[in-house]
Amino acid sequence: MSIKTFLLPDLGEGLTEAELVRWMVAAGDTVAVDQPIAEVETAKSLVEIPCPFEGVVSTLHGDAGQMMLVDEPFISVNTGGEEAEAPVADEAERAQSYREEERAGTQVPAEAAAEADEGSGNVLIGYGTSSAQSKTSRRRKPRGGVAAAAAQAPAEAVRVINPLVRKLARDNALDISTVQGSGPEGLILRTDVEAALSAEAGQPAAAAAPAATAPAPAAAVPATPTRAGEADSKTGLPVASTQLLSGVRKTIANAMSTSRREIPEATVWVDVDVTKLLKLRSKIKEAEGQAPSVMALISRFAVAGLQRFPELNSRIEVEADGGLRHTLFEGVNLGFAAQTDRGLVVPNVRDAHKMNAKELSAEFARLASVAREGKAGVADLSGSTFTINNYGVFKVDGSAAIINYPEAAILGLGRIIEKPWVVNGKIKVRSICEMTLSFDHRVCDGGTAAGFMRYVADAMTDPKTALASL
């Protein structure tokens, strides 16, 4: 009997974890190579995991709803034969061997380095990493040259139960090496980090005491969340439900917080008469049987506007030394907000500047469909350089949308409604749409944002003239 264990593969875009949504097989089932065995939810999308082995399912290393780590055991399959697989190392050792950050600056054993050179083999089709990439990502040179490397080599790695615990410490600016582990042989558990954070928050002056004489922090017990049906300690009201954010909802929350925290945004808006645009679309539909969506037509104007005002099709990144780097792009990857059962996602049309309105309309429809079905890939949901949000579908007139970090701007479209409008000195009933632009004030001043808005608004008001020049 030969048992082979498949580790959760690299899911791309630096993702290190995924929530197990459901198993598509059970222990004892026969599986074939590339047969879908499970569905997991990453911070980007739902992904089906194919099996790399043929045989009989031996062990499922997780339950529905559980967070699974990349490079951790996922499924074991009995492939037949006589050679038995070597036992998997304990969890703490795996946590140190699978990822560079878990090695904590120590040297990699020769046999592990040789294995890394050949690639892990745990690569999801379509998102894979080559062995060359593995060398780059898993072997970072220590700063400070040869002397620093020599000093690092004998250092003993901090024993941490898994990467999530180390991430918790890093996100809270806690030096993991100062935490006293309560697990076997000093293994640092999540409760140890939470206890250290609690002690640090409750005793701000403790850091001033000499490290050698400071008493070890007391083992604090993390607060137990109030369960559904119980009274909330702060409000006294019964709790309807409570859960930790995960998957897409967690990603949305983090992205919105980061955008608000890092981007000094400003908003401009304008009411646009789109009567002629709607008439033009109706004529195209009558003549050809179908027509681009209104959003596709407006997007075509927006893409053209970005070529005239490229500052809005850019991003600002903070350098290691605190400096700011401003990057402008040749071409546009156009993101658009799509509401799904799993929350708001932003699929993006790659190379949108190369497409006409009909092509944009078709791509919007395709991407929206796969996003709502939960089948959008990582590449479909990342890499946009400018985003359009059509909140008019929710029957609202306007909104100061939050910029899709790390982009520099987001264009919002409100609903189209009939209003009295002055045309050539006379009041007429016209179709009006409120358009807003939230932009990063670091990349440009208000004049640039206003120029872009005026260009797009004028094109929407007189679409025939605009399309003739595109």
Side-chain angles (χ1 to χ4, degrees):
M1 179 176 68
S2 178
I3 303 295
K4 292 187 177 180
T5 297
F6 176 50
L7 310 183
L8 182 64
D10 185 338
L11 299 168
E13 291 291 317
L15 301 176
T16 60
E17 62 180 351
E19 180 179 346
L20 178 57
V21 176
R22 65 186 180 100
W23 285 107
M24 303 168 74
V25 296
D29 288 353
T30 300
V31 292
V33 174
D34 289 339
Q35 174 183 333
I37 54 174
E39 192 175 55
V40 301
E41 182 181 34
T42 71
K44 298 290 186 179
S45 61
L46 285 176
V47 179
E48 285 188 353
I49 305 295
C51 184
F53 309 128
E54 178 181 2
V56 177
V57 177
S58 173
T59 306
L60 303 179
H61 296 279
D63 300 316
Q66 181 178 337
M67 294 303 297
M68 309 294 290
L69 299 178
V70 169
D71 285 341
E72 290 289 306
F74 191 67
I75 188 174
S76 294
V77 177
N78 179 4
T79 60
E82 299 179 355
E83 294 183 1
E85 183 185 41
V88 182
D90 65 82
E91 187 174 12
E93 291 175 349
R94 291 198 305 270
Q96 291 181 8
S97 63
Y98 284 130
R99 290 204 170 274
E100 175 70 23
E101 70 173 1
E102 293 305 297
R103 297 190 184 105
T106 60
Q107 286 186 322
V108 183
E111 58 272 19
E115 182 180 349
D117 285 342
E118 297 175 0
S120 66
N122 299 293
V123 176
L124 183 63
I125 297 173
Y127 302 104
T129 56
S130 65
S131 59
Q133 289 172 316
S134 298
K135 295 174 186 176
T136 301
S137 62
R138 300 192 180 202
R139 295 182 181 179
R140 301 176 190 167
K141 293 182 179 180
R143 295 182 181 180
V146 176
Q152 274 185 260
E156 182 179 356
V158 177
R159 293 173 58 79
V160 181
I161 191 168
N162 65 41
L164 293 181
V165 175
R166 190 181 293 277
K167 183 177 185 298
L168 176 63
R170 185 171 60 247
D171 289 347
N172 289 277
L174 175 67
D175 185 353
I176 194 73
S177 64
T178 65
V179 178
Q180 182 175 357
S182 61
E185 299 182 6
L187 181 67
I188 297 175
L189 310 178
R190 185 184 185 92
T191 53
D192 298 325
V193 173
E194 290 174 339
L197 291 174
S198 298
E200 188 177 77
Q203 303 175 17
T213 60
V221 179
T224 302
T226 306
R227 298 179 180 179
E230 297 178 348
D232 177 56
S233 60
K234 295 181 180 178
T235 65
L237 296 174
V239 173
S241 66
T242 179
Q243 63 180 1
L244 288 174
L245 294 181
S246 62
V248 171
R249 290 307 318 172
K250 180 180 178 182
T251 301
I252 293 171
N254 289 336
M256 296 300 98
S257 297
T258 301
S259 181
R260 280 297 195 208
R261 183 173 62 252
E262 295 192 9
I263 298 179
E265 66 181 41
T267 303
V268 293
W269 61 91
V270 62
D271 289 338
V272 186
D273 182 354
V274 295
T275 305
K276 291 183 179 180
L277 181 66
L278 296 183
K279 288 182 178 179
L280 175 62
R281 183 176 181 275
S282 295
K283 288 182 180 179
I284 295 174
K285 189 172 183 178
E286 289 177 5
E288 302 181 14
Q290 60 180 1
S293 65
V294 173
M295 193 176 90
L297 289 167
I298 297 175
S299 296
R300 185 67 192 91
F301 300 144
V303 169
L306 292 175
Q307 294 174 325
R308 291 166 173 77
F309 300 92
E311 297 91 340
L312 297 171
N313 186 48
S314 66
R315 68 165 179 252
I316 282 186
E317 297 167 295
V318 180
E319 298 278 88
D321 60 359
L324 299 178
R325 179 177 296 278
H326 187 199
T327 303
L328 284 77
F329 303 101
E330 291 185 359
V332 179
N333 286 347
L334 185 62
F336 65 98
Q339 190 68 39
T340 72
D341 292 339
R342 299 166 55 244
L344 184 70
V345 296
V346 184
N348 83 96
V349 179
R350 303 226 167 207
D351 293 328
H353 57 287
K354 298 179 180 179
M355 299 183 182
N356 57 36
K358 291 181 181 179
E359 293 168 333
L360 285 172
S361 186
E363 194 65 0
F364 284 155
R366 183 189 71 81
L367 287 169
S369 177
V370 296
R372 293 190 178 103
E373 292 172 1
K375 297 181 179 179
V378 174
D380 295 327
L381 300 175
S382 59
S384 55
T385 60
F386 183 88
T387 295
I388 288 186
N389 185 6
N390 181 19
Y391 42 76
V393 297
F394 300 113
K395 308 300 181 184
V396 296
D397 298 332
S399 172
I402 298 177
I403 296 171
N404 184 25
Y405 181 86
E407 297 169 19
I410 182 170
L411 184 68
L413 304 175
R415 63 176 176 168
I416 298 174
I417 57 175
E418 291 187 339
K419 288 184 178 181
W421 200 253
V422 178
V423 181
N424 297 325
K426 297 180 180 180
I427 296 178
K428 295 185 178 181
V429 176
R430 307 291 284 186
S431 296
I432 306 300
C433 172
E434 182 178 287
M435 183 170 62
T436 63
L437 178 74
S438 297
F439 66 97
D440 186 338
H441 221 316
R442 297 173 299 178
V443 304
C444 67
D445 296 324
T448 299
F452 169 80
M453 286 287 278
R454 195 66 261 165
Y455 174 85
V456 177
D458 290 345
M460 293 165 64
T461 302
D462 188 5
K464 280 189 177 180
T465 300
L467 290 171
S469 62
L470 293 180

